[in-house]
């Protein structure tokens, strides 16, 4: 199995391969709706490079260390594709099936197949406004994701 089995489970479903061995099931998502956003590795690298290249933010009074010295100020940016509304699992599986040249299967309601939905929709506005981040569309990165998972699935049947 790969480092993140969520995609691999879905790619196995589209390819008609047996599922991964069962793991301890998590409870269903407690988020409203079933939309989510995922990050493209190239987008994460883009944002990291832009953060590294920009001047450091000023140290805030709230960032003082207990010994009275100044502390580094840290920033966080959400990085994800899917636009403000995100994707639903049907969007994701349709893109996955298109990248594989396969028909779109019905995704079971089982929590282990629907764990992307636990992520929710991240707001990337800050990264877009402050760093000029433009999310890569799923149709552009799905083929690379499928190719990355292909060796993990070789010989599965």
């Amino acid at each position: 199995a790969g480092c993140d089995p969520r995609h691999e489970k879905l790619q196995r479903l589209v390819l008609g391969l047996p599922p991964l061995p069962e793991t301890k099931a998590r409870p269903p998502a407690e988020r409203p709706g079933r939309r989510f956003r995922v990050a493209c590795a190239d987008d994460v690298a883009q944002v990291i490079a832009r953060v590294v290249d920009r001047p450091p933010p000023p140290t805030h009074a709230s960032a003082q260390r207990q010994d009275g010295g100044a502390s580094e100020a840290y920033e966080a940016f959400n990085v994800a594709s899917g636009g403000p509304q995100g994707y639903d699992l049907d969007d994701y599986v349709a893109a996955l099936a298109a990248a594989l040249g396969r028909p779109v299967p019905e995704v079971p309601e089982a929590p282990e197949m629907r764990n992307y939905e636990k992520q929710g929709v991240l707001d990337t506005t800050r990264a877009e406004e402050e760093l000029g981040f433009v999310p890569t569309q799923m149709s552009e990165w799905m083929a690379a994701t499928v190719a990355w998972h292909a060796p993990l699935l070789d010989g599965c049947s």
Side-chain angles (χ1 to χ4, degrees), residues 95-154:
L96 174 56
L100 289 165
R102 297 286 186 114
V104 179
E106 184 174 331
V107 180
E109 288 295 322
E112 66 272 8
M113 295 301 288
R114 298 197 158 272
N115 59 11
Y116 271 116
E117 296 167 340
K118 294 177 183 179
Q119 296 176 175
V121 177
L122 298 173
D123 182 358
T124 60
T125 304
R126 183 169 182 225
E128 293 166 12
E129 291 175 356
E130 293 184 29
L131 303 172
F133 170 60
V134 177
T136 304
Q137 294 303 307
M138 183 167 49
S139 60
E140 297 177 43
W141 56 256
M142 183 58 79
T145 301
V146 165
W148 188 90
H149 283 269
L152 300 171
L153 301 173
D154 281 347

Side-chain angles (χ1 to χ4, degrees), residues 8 12 15-20 102 152-157:
E8 186 176 344
R12 285 171 171 271
L15 289 169
L17 296 173
L20 288 171
R102 297 286 186 114
L152 300 171
L153 301 173
D154 281 347
C156 293
S157 56

Side-chain angles (χ1 to χ4, degrees), residues 11 14 17 35 40 47 54-56 73 77 89 107 113 139:
Q11 191 161 328
V14 171
L17 296 173
R35 301 197 70 78
C40 167
V47 168
R54 75 190 228 149
F77 296 92
L89 202 57
V107 180
M113 295 301 288
S139 60

